[in-house]
Amino acid sequence: MAWSRVRYLDHSFLRVDVTPAPQGRLATLTVRGIAESGGEQVDHSTVARRAK
């Protein structure tokens, strides 16, 4: 990708954590890129939404 500021050229896997919430509270979904070698987090993103 020509537009990417950072490139990770090794293998990794995704860890997805979902935190449900009762109505009116924030539920979250967090996605993390975990390096195959060493297990360190190489990237992450969290999305939050108010539960209906």
Side-chain angles (χ1 to χ4, degrees):
M1 294 183 205
W3 56 266
S4 181
R5 182 175 169 189
V6 177
R7 293 183 186 182
Y8 183 74
L9 301 176
D10 214 348
H11 294 283
S12 63
F13 66 93
L14 294 180
R15 173 182 168 175
V16 179
D17 296 304
V18 177
T19 305
Q23 186 174 0
R25 301 285 183 128
L26 287 180
T28 61
L29 180 135
T30 301
V31 179
R32 293 176 170 87
I34 307 295
E36 180 182 48
S37 58
E40 71 271 6
Q41 179 176 296
V42 294
D43 200 2
H44 75 282
S45 181
T46 299
V47 178
R49 179 179 176 182
R50 192 159 311 280
K52 294 182 178 185

